[in-house]
Amino acid sequence: MTAPAADLEIRLHRPGQRPKRVGFFGMSLKASVYGIVGLLLGVVVWMWKQNGWLGLTIIVGTVLVLLPMVIAPGGRSFYERTEHTMRWWSRKLNGSTVYRPGPHGRVPDGMYKLPGILNQTTMHMGRDYLGNDFGIIHRRRGDQYTIVLDCYPGGDEAVTQAQRDLMTADWGAYLAGIGLPGDVVLAAVTVEEIPATGHRLALEVEQDISNSPSELASAMMRQSAIQFPAGKQQTMARMAITFKAKTKEHRTEPEEMATDLARRLPALYEDLAGAGVEAVPMTAEEITAFVHRSYDPSSEPLLEELDIAGESHGIAWENAGAATRTEWNHFRHAGAVSVVWEMQAPPDSVFPDTILKPLLRPHDELTRKRLTVFYRPFSAGDAARSVNREYKDALNALNQKKGVKSAQDELRVEASEQARNEQVRGAGLVRYSALMTVTVDSMEALPTAASIHDALTARASLNVRRCYGFQDAAFAAALGIGINLADHSTVSSLGKN
């Protein structure tokens, strides 16, 4: 029996376009404005002040100032790179790249607080109207609250192409829906692999053989429970949704925000069923557990044993951190070494819905890895203004060029026009990015792990680069607990392209 031809057709997706404002000669709008001001000033001095040398000096100076802004390999101008490097060395000199918490550390209260941008967060609790407890991470800077959902994707092994297309469409509708209220600033989806301890499997086996009359069969089952998880990884998925407080009560009283989220939360995790994902809210204790084991991987077996036994781990959010040290291209934490990469650009061409499979599959050589995809949804009004502005800019860039138009400019017009049409028909508009983390036990294992990761990202058609100079912040953001790196940028906007 053969499947219908329509069911065998693989639907391809566009990566979207990076928003940009195009000025004269293909330069950015900001560089064009700077250039026009400088050139006009030089011409005015030359003609009206009768000072040709001064006017020429201003014009040449304007060109020299613009060149580092216009030349932007990898999407970052030389000004951005220079300022970023200077800020890194400033951190290195003042000692802020080393974090030593605890009674003998440099933290004033002697606690093991989370490092860096997580240091000023607090944990609160709530209960939705279905009776499920949930944790709330409050970030005082920006008045943002984050809830985390424990997700159980169904997989696609026994799913037809038509069903996968429907799930993908439902996922797009879900992202569009969470952007409608206007207070969701970030949604982060995290899929990670950690070494399998086998404790949970052993418990299930003991429960199954508790009434077994055969000692030989029971012994074989116990032995299998020990051998099967050896060298394997367990995959976990979660989704974090970050809300911005809109009222004074929500900004000052986390309990008020918890009451509001208790009303909205069930719809947020029940609506994921259409995308093939079962989800439940994570409690404050569960969130604290995975954050702590991420910074201190040696705690994984103990935390899992306590979870299986139904006992509390007793770790407060204020004590979930560990000693860390940030280097230019890697991050040390509690005896482990991690490297974080950021997505520099999406795939260059259309792609199927399975493009991320190489990164999501467990790998024997990468026992701890994490992929986090960030979505920043637009509200309905902002989405309409954004797609219209992008379409106008794309047309402007295309019409500026004489003769044969470049294929890149034509594709940008086509993509922006399609985005306008889809937005009018109810589709949502989101900005997206991704962070990938690999954690190893020693520096000696890092080159091999990095090489394997580069091969996996190449198979996924992703253009990535290391998060040079901000590995600690990227590691915290990649945990998927509501940290948006765009809110913590320290690079001045004056030198951006």
Side-chain angles (χ1 to χ4, degrees), residues 269-317:
Y269 58 80
E270 289 178 342
D271 289 348
L272 284 171
V277 178
E278 294 183 9
V280 293
M282 298 186 74
T283 65
E285 184 167 304
E286 291 171 337
I287 297 173
T288 303
F290 82 73
V291 171
H292 178 66
R293 68 163 169 74
S294 297
Y295 279 101
D296 185 5
S298 63
S299 65
E300 289 171 2
L302 179 59
L303 288 173
E304 185 169 347
E305 287 180 9
L306 291 173
D307 182 43
I308 293 172
E311 300 179 9
S312 172
H313 53 64
I315 302 175
W317 183 255

Side-chain angles (χ1 to χ4, degrees), residues 461-483:
S461 302
L462 292 182
N463 186 359
V464 301
R465 61 185 169 200
R466 285 200 190 191
C467 299
Y468 291 108
F470 61 105
Q471 285 282 318
D472 53 344
F475 183 90
L479 294 178
I481 51 177
I483 299 299

Side-chain angles (χ1 to χ4, degrees), residues 33 102 195 289 310:
V33 172

Side-chain angles (χ1 to χ4, degrees), residues 257 323 477:
M257 190 68 181

Side-chain angles (χ1 to χ4, degrees), residues 301-340:
L302 179 59
L303 288 173
E304 185 169 347
E305 287 180 9
L306 291 173
D307 182 43
I308 293 172
E311 300 179 9
S312 172
H313 53 64
I315 302 175
W317 183 255
E318 293 75 16
N319 269 317
T324 65
R325 184 186 186 94
T326 308
E327 300 295 345
W328 176 252
N329 61 357
H330 64 273
F331 179 56
R332 296 173 177 263
H333 51 103
V337 184
S338 293
V339 176
V340 188

